[in-house]
Amino acid sequence: MNDLTGVRILLGTSGSVAVYKAAEWARELVKEEAIVTTLMTAAAQQFVTPLTFAALTGNSVYSNMFSIDPDGVMAHINLSRENDVLLVAPATAQTISRLATGSAEDLLSAVVLAAKIPVVICPAMNTNMYTHPATQENLHKLIGFGYRIVKPDSGSLACGETGEGRLAGWDTVRELLLSLLTPQDLLGQKIVITAGPTQEPIDPARYITNRSSGKMGYALARVAQRRGAEVTLITGPVHLPPPPGITCVHILSAEDMENAVMDVADKATVIIKAAAVADYRPAEIHQQKMKKYKEHFSLELDKNNDILAELGKRKKDEQVLVGFAAESQNHDQEGRRKLREKNLDLIAVNDILGKTTGFDVDTNQVLLIDREDSTSLPLMSKENTASHILNKIVDLLNRKGMLATL
Ligand code: PMT
């Protein structure tokens, strides 16, 4: 089961070359088992035929304002009733202008006017058209109506110009759709999440690091944001794209991470340390590349500060502090020791020897230990693991009375 399984999406397309991207989105949505119904303006059909959307979605494509559904209800009323979200993509300047005036002169504008479901508008057009005060004023009106606008990207446009106006990326839109469909139980929470490895330099060519890919921390950041939290992600060097809409602070060494975390820790209501911070760093950083003359070579290391333990010392009563423990043995015992010694509210212990848990895989299996009890979660995706950890954090915030006061 996917996050979008069974979600009914009404995809309204208008006349821009970016309709072909909407066709790709339809395909992505169907892959995630969403039920997609398409609605096309006459101009949209100049770029891509209804047959393309029908084939990709396995569903009817609507364009006729005066069609009657089998139950005798006009299409524009039924379409807005029968879906969970209305996604207008691409939305041209013309369509945006129609929607801003409350016009109902074609099926798309009539459906938007009749809609009581969340409406998401994704503009795509020439940059001068997009930045024109008329379009900007219209978009402000649409925000006032409660519609969600996904700002277009900047870059080279099909018209040959460069600037704002490119249809936003699918990842951004997908995250917004998911947040509209997810209960906002972390609204008002400021959550700091660390992710990925650190790099401890030896010389200009070499460093000490570990196998963390950042997947666990990034999944927590995405899911927390979806549930309404304001997330700051402090991340070591990883190969993952920055999650859309999340403030990312990029660091390299454990010392960089410590500085970045301490800068934001005081304002955070929740801190989750999923990063794999190096315990030691080279005592000396060589300015020149070290040569391989010696047969045996040893590196002297100094201990890094334990950031989590320091956060535990400074923790305010109303803050929730969550650690991870990467263990290869004695999981329960080690988890309890770290929970106690670092003054944590919750710790997620994961096994780093398993092929499907811990470092650099898409799944995890964690033992969650708090001050009162422990739960062993089954093997699941890192996103689902993140949801369970965040459920536990909601419980802890409730216990501290921190959700009621928001
Ligand atoms: O990134 P992925 O590939 O998805 O892998 C996920 C993960 C295995 C890295 C993650 O789930 C995980 O277990 N993160 C913690 C790794 C770790 O450093 O565990 P630890 O048991 O060594 O440290 C315990 C806690 O202290 C951790 O929360 C760690 O962030 C923190 N710590 C450790 C050392 C240090 N100097 N400062 C710290 O704050």
Side-chain angles (χ1 to χ4, degrees):
M1 173 137 165
N2 299 297
D3 294 322
L4 288 165
T5 300
V7 175
R8 293 160 307 172
I9 310 259
L10 178 57
L11 176 62
T13 61
S14 60
S16 148
V17 66
V19 185
Y20 83 90
K21 290 190 185 164
E24 283 170 6
W25 294 6
R27 194 160 168 266
E28 291 295 331
L29 285 163
V30 169
K31 252 201 252 166
E32 291 199 55
E33 297 173 9
I35 301 155
V36 182
T37 307
T38 316
L39 190 167
M40 300 184 81
T41 63
Q45 294 172 52
Q46 298 291 319
F47 292 92
V48 174
T49 66
L51 189 61
T52 303
F53 283 95
L56 290 173
T57 64
N59 246 332
S60 312
V61 176
Y62 291 80
S63 54
N64 183 356
M65 174 75 167
F66 301 104
S67 64
I68 301 283
D69 281 350
D71 55 4
V73 182
M74 290 192 76
H76 66 280
I77 302 296
N78 250 357
L79 286 172
S80 54
R81 270 189 200 147
E82 285 175 349
N83 287 284
D84 300 308
V85 181
L86 169 47
L87 175 62
V88 183
T92 58
Q94 170 65 27
T95 292
I96 288 167
S97 162
R98 274 194 198 135
L99 301 183
T101 58
S103 151
E105 67 188 76
D106 65 1
L107 183 59
L108 176 57
S109 49
V111 167
V112 176
L113 204 58
K116 289 276 184 216
I117 53 177
V119 176
V120 176
I121 312 256
C122 304
M125 65 197 75
N126 163 273
T127 190
N128 296 333
M129 292 168 81
Y130 177 68
T131 53
H132 193 287
T135 305
Q136 290 301 312
E137 201 178 309
N138 287 335
L139 285 168
H140 276 108
K141 275 194 194 161
L142 298 187
I143 292 170
F145 297 161
Y147 303 161
R148 304 293 295 265
I149 312 295
V150 184
K151 251 175 86 73
D153 287 343
S154 282
S156 60
L157 304 168
C159 59
E161 287 181 24
T162 301
E164 268 181 302
R166 244 166 54 170
L167 189 66
W170 171 238
D171 284 351
T172 307
V173 178
R174 180 180 179 273
E175 277 307 320
L176 178 59
L177 292 177
L178 288 173
S179 73
L180 290 171
L181 298 161
T182 306
Q184 300 292 286
D185 55 357
L186 288 170
L187 198 67
Q189 300 298 331
K190 291 186 186 337
I191 305 193
V192 172
I193 297 170
T194 69
T198 62
Q199 288 179 356
E200 310 301 323
I202 300 170
D203 70 12
R206 306 173 178 100
Y207 51 75
I208 300 174
T209 192
N210 59 62
R211 291 173 45 221
S212 172
S213 63
K215 287 179 181 173
M216 189 65 243
Y218 276 54
L220 280 158
R222 276 195 307 274
V223 178
Q225 173 180 253
R226 241 174 249 165
R227 290 166 69 159
E230 191 186 311
V231 178
T232 302
L233 177 64
I234 300 174
T235 171
V238 296
H239 297 287
L240 302 173
I246 289 179
T247 307
C248 282
V249 181
H250 296 271
I251 58 91
L252 289 177
S253 67
E255 191 186 355
D256 296 344
M257 176 161 285
E258 183 176 5
N259 292 335
V261 170
M262 294 310 169
D263 272 356
V264 289
D266 271 358
K267 293 206 178 91
T269 54
V270 179
I271 304 176
I272 311 174
K273 287 223 70 242
V277 184
D279 291 322
Y280 292 91
R281 65 181 184 282
E284 184 188 355
I285 304 173
H286 293 264
Q287 296 309 311
Q288 306 300 329
K289 187 178 171 203
M290 295 168 74
K291 299 291 176 196
K292 52 177 183 200
Y293 300 134
K294 297 183 192 163
E295 230 18 72
H296 297 284
F297 166 72
S298 45
L299 195 61
E300 200 185 339
L301 302 176
D302 286 340
K303 199 164 185 190
N304 281 327
N305 292 338
D306 190 317
I307 308 167
L308 190 57
E310 185 55 36
L311 289 168
K313 285 185 201 143
R314 298 182 185 195
K315 188 173 68 164
K316 299 184 205 151
D317 287 347
E318 61 277 14
Q319 259 180 344
V320 170
L321 185 58
V322 182
F324 269 76
E327 303 298 341
S328 55
Q329 57 183 340
N330 304 330
H331 299 70
D332 186 85
Q333 196 185 328
E334 281 303 300
R336 285 178 198 281
R337 180 182 65 76
K338 288 178 183 172
L339 181 84
R340 198 178 52 249
E341 286 180 2
K342 300 192 191 202
N343 190 27
L344 309 179
D345 297 288
L346 179 68
I347 192 156
V349 189
N350 46 199
D351 183 51
I352 53 162
L353 292 183
K355 285 200 164 39
T356 49
T357 61
F359 290 120
D360 200 19
V361 284
D362 292 327
T363 49
N364 210 353
Q365 198 269 306
V366 304
L367 170 66
L368 279 183
I369 309 175
D370 69 17
R371 300 296 181 95
E372 290 175 11
D373 57 26
S374 65
T375 320
S376 181
L377 298 179
L379 182 72
M380 58 180 93
S381 71
K382 282 189 174 163
E383 280 218 350
N384 285 340
T385 305
S387 296
H388 282 270
I389 294 171
L390 289 163
N391 289 346
K392 194 75 204 177
I393 290 171
V394 167
D395 282 353
L396 293 169
L397 285 165
N398 258 325
R399 273 190 230 161
K400 290 183 185 240
M402 283 304 291
L403 285 181
T405 56
L406 289 169

